[in-house]
Amino acid sequence: MEEGSMFRSLLAILQWWGFNVTVIIMNKWIFQKLDFKFPLSVSCVHFICSSIGAYIVIKVLKLKPLIVVDPEDRWRRIFPMSFVFCINIVLGNVSLRYIPVSFMQTIKSFTPATTVVLQWLVWRKYFDWRIWASLVPIVGGILLTSVTELSFNMFGFCAALFGCLATSTKTILAESLLHGYKFDSINTVYYMAPFATMILGIPALLLEGSGILSWFEAHPAPWSALIIIFSSGVLAFCLNFSIFYVIHSTTAVTFNVAGNLKVAVAVLVSWLIFRNPISYMNAVGCGITLVGCTFYGYVRHMLSQQTPGTPRTPRTPRSKMELLPLVNNDKLEGKV
C-alpha cells in the first residue's frame, strides 16, 4: 500500500471512530447527565438534522450526486425500509437510556448472528459451516457478558437485542426492496431520514411532549442542554458522511478489524467518562464477542475470494452494505 493511501485510510478510520464514539457518548450523556430521558425525541432530532444535512450535501454543496428514485418506488420501497430504519435507531437510543454503553455495544455485536439466522430461516440461504462456527464465540461472548453485567436492565437489554433484529431485517429487506439502486450512505439518509421523521414525529410528540415541557421548566440550563442535544444530531449526520469516506478508503479486512476495534474504543471511553462497573468476566465476555466478530468478518472475506465453481456463502453486496443507520450500529458484515 502506498504511503499516501495508507495515510488516507488511517485518517478515514480515525475520523469514523471519532464521530461514532462521540455520538454514542453524547447520547448517553443526554440521557444520564442532562436527565433528558426521551429517546423518541432524541431520535427525531437526529432524523431532522440528518435530513437537512443530506439535503445540503447533495442539493446545495453538490458533494454527492443524487441517486434518482422513481416517485412510486419512494413509497413502495423506500418507505418500508425507512420504517425499519426508524425502529432500529429508536431501539438503539432506548437501550442507551437504560443500560451502559459497554453493554449496549456488546449486544449490538450480535447483529451478524441474527442476520445469518434470519437469512437461513426466511430466505433459506445456504451458509458454509465455517460461517456457523464463527458465530459460536459471538453468541458465547454475548451470553457471558449478559449474565455478568453488573448494571443489567431487562428492558434495555431487550431493546438492544430487538435492535439487532431490526438491523438484520433492514439489511435483508434492502436486497429485495432496493434492488437496482446503488445507494451510498448519504443518499440513504437523504431518502430515509425525512420518512423516519414523519413516522416518529407524532408518536414522539404524543408520548414525550408533556414530559419535555416539564423537563424544560425544571432544568437549570435548558437552552445549553438543547444545544448539546441538537449538536448530537449534527454529529449523527457527520457520522454518515464519515462512513461514506471510510468505505472508499479501506480494504475489507481493514474495515472489519477497525469496526471491532471501534467498539472496544467506545467501551473504554464510556467507562472512563461514566465509570459504570465492569467485572472481570464481563470484560472477558466483551473481548470474546469482539474477537468472534473479527473472525466472522475474516471468514466471510475468505469465502468471498473463493474461485468460481466452489460453494460460496451469500455475501452482502456493496450497495447494500452502505445502507447504514444514523447512529449506534454502523458495523458492516464485510466489504467488497
Side-chain angles (χ1 to χ4, degrees):
M1 181 181 292
E2 297 179 359
E3 183 177 347
S5 178
M6 183 180 298
F7 177 76
R8 283 194 299 271
S9 297
L10 180 60
L11 181 62
I13 291 172
L14 289 177
Q15 54 89 31
W16 174 42
W17 282 6
F19 281 121
N20 184 269
V21 173
T22 302
V23 168
I24 293 172
I25 297 301
M26 285 188 72
N27 286 351
K28 185 63 177 177
W29 185 277
I30 288 167
F31 295 133
Q32 184 170 320
K33 300 298 184 180
L34 299 183
D35 203 36
F36 190 84
K37 305 183 185 300
F38 309 105
L40 298 184
S41 299
V42 170
S43 301
C44 204
V45 167
H46 286 189
F47 292 145
I48 293 171
C49 292
S50 293
S51 299
I52 297 172
Y55 180 86
I56 292 174
V57 168
I58 293 176
K59 290 290 191 177
V60 180
L61 301 179
K62 301 186 184 302
L63 297 177
K64 279 291 298 178
L66 174 66
I67 297 176
V68 180
V69 177
D70 185 78
E72 182 182 348
D73 283 344
R74 294 188 185 187
W75 289 98
R76 187 166 55 92
R77 298 187 181 190
I78 303 295
F79 184 79
M81 282 293 300
S82 301
F83 185 78
V84 180
F85 172 77
C86 180
I87 293 175
N88 176 41
I89 300 305
V90 169
L91 288 174
N93 282 330
V94 169
S95 66
L96 268 181
R97 161 77 172 79
Y98 291 98
I99 60 177
V101 172
S102 56
F103 191 30
M104 186 273 283
Q105 286 285 287
T106 304
I107 296 173
K108 295 294 282 185
S109 298
F110 193 56
T111 301
T114 56
T115 302
V116 169
V117 170
L118 282 176
Q119 286 181 316
W120 177 65
L121 287 175
V122 179
W123 269 262
R124 297 297 179 184
K125 286 191 174 181
Y126 163 80
F127 287 95
D128 188 277
W129 69 269
R130 285 167 287 186
I131 287 290
W132 292 105
S134 69
L135 297 178
V136 172
I138 298 177
V139 176
I142 294 291
L143 289 175
L144 180 59
T145 303
S146 300
V147 299
T148 59
E149 174 58 46
L150 300 177
S151 303
F152 185 86
N153 179 281
M154 181 57 72
F155 187 74
F157 171 78
C158 290
L161 194 60
F162 281 108
C164 292
L165 290 173
T167 302
S168 299
T169 302
K170 179 177 68 67
T171 302
I172 295 171
L173 284 177
E175 185 173 0
S176 56
L177 290 179
L178 300 182
H179 178 71
Y181 292 106
K182 296 183 178 181
F183 280 110
D184 53 63
S185 57
I186 305 302
N187 274 275
T188 300
V189 172
Y190 178 84
Y191 283 107
M192 292 189 183
F195 275 134
T197 304
M198 181 178 66
I199 293 169
L200 191 59
I202 294 178
L205 182 63
L206 294 177
L207 297 175
E208 298 178 347
S210 59
I212 292 176
L213 291 177
S214 300
W215 171 87
F216 194 85
E217 294 174 355
H219 198 278
W223 293 109
S224 299
L226 286 176
I227 291 175
I228 295 176
I229 293 170
F230 277 92
S231 295
S232 72
V234 173
L235 290 176
F237 168 73
C238 293
L239 171 59
N240 285 275
F241 206 80
S242 72
I243 293 168
F244 167 76
Y245 181 35
V246 77
I247 281 174
H248 291 81
S249 303
T250 59
T251 63
V253 175
T254 300
F255 190 87
N256 177 54
V257 174
N260 291 295
L261 287 177
K262 172 181 61 65
V263 176
V265 171
V267 169
L268 177 61
V269 173
S270 69
W271 180 81
L272 291 174
I273 293 176
F274 299 106
R275 294 291 178 176
N276 55 287
I278 300 177
S279 66
Y280 172 76
M281 292 306 295
N282 189 257
V284 170
C286 181
I288 292 174
T289 302
L290 297 183
V291 171
C293 288
T294 303
F295 180 59
Y296 167 82
Y298 173 75
V299 169
R300 287 189 70 101
H301 175 70
M302 293 302 295
L303 291 174
S304 72
Q305 303 302 310
Q306 289 181 348
T307 56
T310 57
R312 293 178 59 175
T313 182
R315 60 187 175 91
T316 309
R318 184 186 185 98
S319 60
K320 187 171 67 177
M321 289 192 309
E322 294 182 337
L323 287 170
L324 302 170
L326 290 175
V327 294
N328 298 339
N329 184 36
D330 57 340
K331 184 185 298 179
L332 303 180
E333 296 179 17
K335 186 171 96 57
V336 182

